Amino acid sequence: LKVVIEGAESTVLPHLLRQGPYPPVVCFEYDQPQSSLALLRLLGTFHDHGYRLVRRERWNFTLRRSGAEVPTDPQSTAH
C-alpha cells in the first residue's frame, strides 16, 4: 500500500492500523515540517502492529508486516 496523504500521515495511518486492512507492505512519505516526535510515535505504532522498517530514504519509509507473504517481482529474479 503506497500512501500519499500530504501531511496527514500521523492522523490517517494510526486509524488504518486500528481498523484494517493490514497490507503486507506500507510505503509513505512523512511530509515536512512535522514533529519528529510524532514520526517516532507513528513508527512505534507500526511496530506494535507487527510492522518492521525495511527501508528509509530521507523522509520516505517502507514497512513490512512480520510474517506477511510479499510477492516478488519476477523480473528481479530473472537471469
Side-chain angles (χ1 to χ4, degrees), residues 53-72:
L53 182 65
V54 295
R55 183 178 174 100
R56 183 186 72 79
E57 186 176 309
R58 296 185 180 230
W59 294 101
N60 297 297
F61 297 86
T62 302
L63 299 106
R64 180 177 291 170
R65 191 153 196 237
S66 297
E69 292 287 325
V70 179
T72 58

Side-chain angles (χ1 to χ4, degrees), residues 10 12 14-15 27 40 44 46 49 51 56 59 66 69-70 74-75 78:
S10 293
V12 173
H15 179 75
C27 304
L40 291 175
F46 271 103
H49 284 82
Y51 286 86
R56 183 186 72 79
W59 294 101
S66 297
E69 292 287 325
V70 179
Q75 293 181 359

